[in-house]
Amino acid sequence: SQTIHQWPATLVQPVGSPLSLECTVEGTSNPNLYWYRQAAGRGLQLLFYSVGIGQISSEVPQNLSASRPQDRQFILSSKKLLLSDSGFYLCAWSVRGASYNEQFFGPGTRLTVL
Amino acid sequence: AQSVTQPDIHITVSEGASLELRCNYSYGATPYLFWYVQSPGQGLQLLLKYFSGDTLVQGIKGFEAEFKRSQSSFNLRKPSVHWSDAAEYFCAVGSRSGTYKYIFGTGTRLKVLA
């Protein structure tokens, strides 16, 4: 069966520090991968998605970037964190090329920027 | 513009009472439709989905949802709520065109009274 991992589970970082959040998927190949941010009291905002290694689409201009160095690995990064980057970050995957596009979510990373 | 509206931010029901969570969408064509549930500090779990066919879909945990094209709605229902149903519920739409992107509603937080 497929599983999706995210780490760390929680992170507290000072403003201006770098960020690296990692997401890995097991049990599937060639998945589509997604990064979402969930701010308090708001829905989920799609930040990035990827349909293959090195292929990243950005949905919202921001202080963050994403990379996909391996087929089942998706990394969210920042060079200098802002207070507004605080939130709950969710990684998700879906089957590429399927006639439907159900997404499966990881457990999330709670990021607090102080 | 494409959008998903969940008009109820908070809903409180008594255990054993029936539940209906509303979801309306604005989309160029009939999208894929999803309901997810999120327990505090956790990722999202898929409750049910609509792709085509029967407009009344059954999901996990005793939930069901009805797609009404004329009303652009996909409301979630449960005949008898359990205390463990307390969580946040998200409606989402996905494109049939293969862009693999979801649009999420802002969520409805459900509180269950004993």
Side-chain angles (χ1 to χ4, degrees):
Chain A
S1 63
Q2 302 88 5
T3 57
I4 179 168
H5 303 278
Q6 288 187 244
W7 64 87
T10 60
L11 189 60
V12 180
Q13 292 284 94
V15 169
S17 64
L19 173 73
S20 180
L21 303 182
E22 189 166 343
C23 170
T24 58
V25 181
E26 296 178 356
T28 187
S29 297
N30 305 314
N32 291 330
L33 296 171
Y34 311 83
W35 277 113
Y36 289 89
R37 177 169 59 203
Q38 185 178 22
R42 302 176 65 178
L44 279 75
Q45 180 184 39
L46 179 63
L47 302 176
F48 302 94
Y49 71 96
S50 171
V51 299
I53 296 174
Q55 301 179 59
I56 309 296
S57 296
S58 175
E59 290 296 298
V60 182
Q62 58 207 320
N63 184 42
L64 302 169
S65 62
S67 62
R68 186 170 177 174
Q70 301 180 40
D71 180 49
R72 291 172 291 176
Q73 184 184 33
F74 205 23
I75 296 172
L76 184 69
S77 303
S78 175
K79 293 182 179 179
K80 289 184 177 182
L81 283 169
L82 306 172
L83 287 173
S84 57
D85 292 323
S86 293
F88 192 53
Y89 289 82
L90 289 158
C91 181
W93 73 274
S94 66
V95 175
R96 189 188 310 171
S99 59
Y100 54 90
N101 51 0
E102 175 180 343
Q103 294 184 17
F104 301 92
F105 286 80
T109 294
R110 172 75 59 190
L111 172 65
T112 303
V113 183
L114 302 176
Chain B
Q2 300 165 349
S3 64
V4 176
T5 302
Q6 293 181 246
D8 303 305
I9 299 174
H10 298 279
I11 283 186
T12 300
V13 299
S14 298
E15 191 170 20
S18 63
L19 172 70
E20 182 170 29
L21 302 182
R22 295 182 289 165
C23 173
N24 293 93
Y25 65 88
S26 174
Y27 212 79
T30 300
Y32 296 127
L33 296 159
F34 307 87
W35 273 100
Y36 283 85
V37 62
Q38 183 181 34
S39 297
Q42 303 296 315
L44 276 69
Q45 181 183 22
L46 181 69
L47 284 175
L48 47 77
K49 58 195 178 189
Y50 172 77
F51 295 145
S52 63
D54 192 349
T55 57
L56 183 64
V57 293
Q58 303 296 322
I60 63 171
K61 303 184 180 185
F63 285 92
E64 67 178 25
E66 185 172 12
F67 169 56
K68 293 185 177 179
R69 184 189 307 272
S70 62
Q71 299 177 21
S72 297
S73 69
F74 189 55
N75 294 347
L76 182 72
R77 300 193 295 250
K78 186 169 184 178
S80 179
V81 170
H82 189 263
W83 64 267
S84 60
D85 294 323
E88 190 156 22
Y89 293 79
F90 291 93
C91 180
V93 301
S95 170
R96 293 179 183 263
S97 67
T99 60
Y100 309 116
K101 293 187 288 185
Y102 278 16
I103 300 173
F104 278 88
T106 52
T108 297
R109 186 169 296 278
L110 173 65
K111 182 178 180 179
V112 180
L113 301 176

